[in-house]
Amino acid sequence: MRKVIVMTAILALTACGQESNDKIQQAKAASEPTVAQAPVAHWALEITEGQRATITDTTGRLMEHGFTPYIYEHDGVKHFLIGPYATQAQALETQEKIKQKPKLDGIETDIIELPASN
């Protein structure tokens, strides 16, 4: 009888240990870092307003309405941009929003594709 109790206890402990080991392995697998690709921004709006206003005036007007421009330099040429956007459709949507704001009248933009970063 004693052997049966000892064997039952050993089997029970072995089973508990296996379950705990499985849980530990699952936790380890879940905690390992996964590599996720973030959407790459390839599109932006280039501000082509011309000489009617300074960059600071244009920046101020845009920021008052929730658009944050920045200067991007590529191959020695500086570009005044809003964005970047993951898709051309997102850039087009922002361009339409700018056109609909009366206080941003005169700010012209072109949708451009940004060069791939190396």
Side-chain angles (χ1 to χ4, degrees), residues 43-50 58 62 69-74 77-85 91-92 94-95 98 106-115:
W43 301 92
L45 295 177
E46 183 168 21
I47 300 167
T48 59
E49 183 177 7
T58 303
L62 287 165
Y70 64 99
I71 296 175
Y72 171 75
E73 188 171 349
H74 180 68
V77 178
K78 293 183 180 178
H79 303 271
F80 192 34
L81 305 177
I82 298 171
Y85 302 99
L92 181 61
T94 301
Q95 186 180 44
I98 290 172
I107 296 178
E108 300 294 327
T109 59
D110 288 330
I111 298 173
I112 64 167
E113 187 171 9
L114 297 172

Side-chain angles (χ1 to χ4, degrees), residues 22-84:
D22 290 344
K23 287 182 181 179
I24 290 170
Q25 294 303 323
Q26 290 173 353
K28 282 182 181 179
S31 67
E32 289 182 13
T34 57
V35 177
Q37 285 288 350
V40 178
H42 288 291
W43 301 92
L45 295 177
E46 183 168 21
I47 300 167
T48 59
E49 183 177 7
Q51 300 299 321
R52 292 183 289 167
T54 64
I55 288 178
T56 55
D57 291 340
T58 303
T59 299
R61 288 172 53 202
L62 287 165
M63 290 183 75
E64 285 175 9
H65 295 282
F67 304 102
T68 306
Y70 64 99
I71 296 175
Y72 171 75
E73 188 171 349
H74 180 68
D75 291 337
V77 178
K78 293 183 180 178
H79 303 271
F80 192 34
L81 305 177
I82 298 171

Side-chain angles (χ1 to χ4, degrees), residues 85-106:
Y85 302 99
T87 65
Q88 187 176 11
Q90 290 173 330
L92 181 61
E93 182 181 328
T94 301
Q95 186 180 44
E96 290 301 316
K97 287 179 183 177
I98 290 172
K99 287 178 183 178
Q100 293 173 359
K101 304 254 184 208
K103 293 201 175 196
L104 298 179
D105 190 38

